[in-house]
């Protein structure tokens, strides 16, 4: 209920994205929904294993993360690429025990939560299991939403489209599913 004593309708949106999280296409959809009235967004970022990520997305995101963590000195592109190649070779071989894909998903989500809050959005988020259908199912078991916004890579590059994820989510949830095609992003 609002301060005026009248009920407020707050629309709730489940945003499902990983490699396209933060892309302009998704931002346009988010801004459009914010402009339509009070709303809350919940991001779920399926933790796609590093070996299944789009190679361009992995290189750009990991390189940005390496440069971000390097402090003021930064890394030149060749050094960052070399470190990335070593990390990709070692993915799953121990280290911190967390897959590179999960770490990149976590970095992407944190960055986008901050950006959305700066925009004035009410937002929460979580890292989901690798299978996007299961990740959505887990979230829908706990929360109710008015719409699912699914952001995928374009055409042949998208494992989610190849698996017909929009239809699977629509059938499993009975919710409107808006599918947005985006491009891979690092931190924008």
């Amino acid at each position: 209920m609002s301060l005026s004593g009248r009920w407020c309708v707050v629309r709730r949106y489940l945003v499902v994205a990983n490699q396209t999280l933060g892309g302009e296409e998704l931002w346009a959809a988010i801004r459009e929904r914010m402009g339509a009235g009070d709303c809350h967004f919940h991001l779920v970022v399926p933790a796609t294993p590093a070996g299944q990520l789009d190679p361009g997305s992995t290189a750009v995101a990991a390189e940005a993360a390496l440069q971000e963590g390097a402090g003021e000195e930064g890394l030149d592109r060749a050094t960052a690429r070399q470190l990335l190649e070593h990390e990709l070779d070692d993915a799953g071989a121990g280290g911190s025990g967390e897959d590179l894909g999960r770490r990149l998903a976590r970095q992407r989500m944190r960055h986008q939560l901050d950006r959305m809050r700066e925009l004035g959005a009410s937002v929460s988020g979580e890292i989901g299991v690798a299978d996007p259908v299961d990740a959505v199912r887990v979230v829908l078991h706990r929360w109710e939403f008015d719409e699912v916004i699914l952001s995928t890579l374009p055409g042949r590059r998208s494992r989610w489209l190849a698996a017909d994820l929009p239809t699977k989510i629509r059938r499993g949830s009975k919710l409107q599913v808006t599918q947005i095609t985006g491009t891979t992003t690092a931190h924008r």
Side-chain angles (χ1 to χ4, degrees), residues 122-143:
S122 169
V123 62
S124 55
E126 65 188 88
I127 302 300
V129 296
D131 182 301
V133 173
D134 288 342
V136 168
R137 191 175 298 131
V138 166
V139 173
L140 290 177
H141 182 72
R142 293 184 312 221
W143 303 95

Side-chain angles (χ1 to χ4, degrees), residues 45-68:
V45 184
T48 306
Q52 296 176 7
L53 292 172
D54 181 64
S57 172
T58 306
V60 170
E63 193 169 307
L66 286 171
Q67 288 178 349
E68 198 173 88

Side-chain angles (χ1 to χ4, degrees), residues 16-21 23 25-26 48 52-58 108 150-163 165-166 179-186 188:
V16 183
N18 186 335
Q19 297 172 87
T20 58
L21 188 60
E25 301 84 356
L26 181 56
T48 306
Q52 296 176 7
L53 292 172
D54 181 64
S57 172
T58 306
R108 229 178 253 120
L150 175 67
S151 182
T152 68
L153 291 169
R156 293 182 184 168
R157 291 174 49 200
S158 175
R159 289 180 30 259
W160 292 2
L161 289 179
L165 189 58
Q179 190 262 317
I180 296 169
T181 301
T183 55
T184 58
T185 61
R188 292 183 181 211

Side-chain angles (χ1 to χ4, degrees), residues 24-164:
E24 289 307 313
E25 301 84 356
L26 181 56
W27 274 101
I30 288 169
R31 281 193 290 276
E32 177 183 323
R33 282 151 182 85
M34 286 179 69
D38 291 338
C39 57
H40 177 82
F41 298 92
H42 184 77
L43 307 180
V44 63
V45 184
T48 306
Q52 296 176 7
L53 292 172
D54 181 64
S57 172
T58 306
V60 170
E63 193 169 307
L66 286 171
Q67 288 178 349
E68 198 173 88
E72 292 181 12
E73 299 166 359
L75 295 172
D76 65 11
R77 290 183 71 80
T79 304
R81 177 141 334 259
Q82 184 177 23
L83 289 171
L84 168 66
E85 289 169 0
H86 291 301
E87 188 165 1
L88 287 174
D89 289 341
D90 295 338
S96 70
E98 185 175 53
D99 177 71
L100 174 62
R102 180 171 284 278
R103 283 197 313 268
L104 292 174
R106 187 177 317 286
Q107 289 172 346
R108 229 178 253 120
M109 182 193 68
R110 287 179 180 156
H111 184 73
Q112 295 314 313
L113 287 171
D114 290 343
R115 281 187 68 201
M116 289 179 72
R117 287 180 182 126
E118 288 172 10
L119 190 64
S122 169
V123 62
S124 55
E126 65 188 88
I127 302 300
V129 296
D131 182 301
V133 173
D134 288 342
V136 168
R137 191 175 298 131
V138 166
V139 173
L140 290 177
H141 182 72
R142 293 184 312 221
W143 303 95
E144 291 185 15
F145 296 92
D146 298 297
E147 179 183 358
V148 177
I149 302 170
L150 175 67
S151 182
T152 68
L153 291 169
R156 293 182 184 168
R157 291 174 49 200
S158 175
R159 289 180 30 259
W160 292 2
L161 289 179
D164 198 17

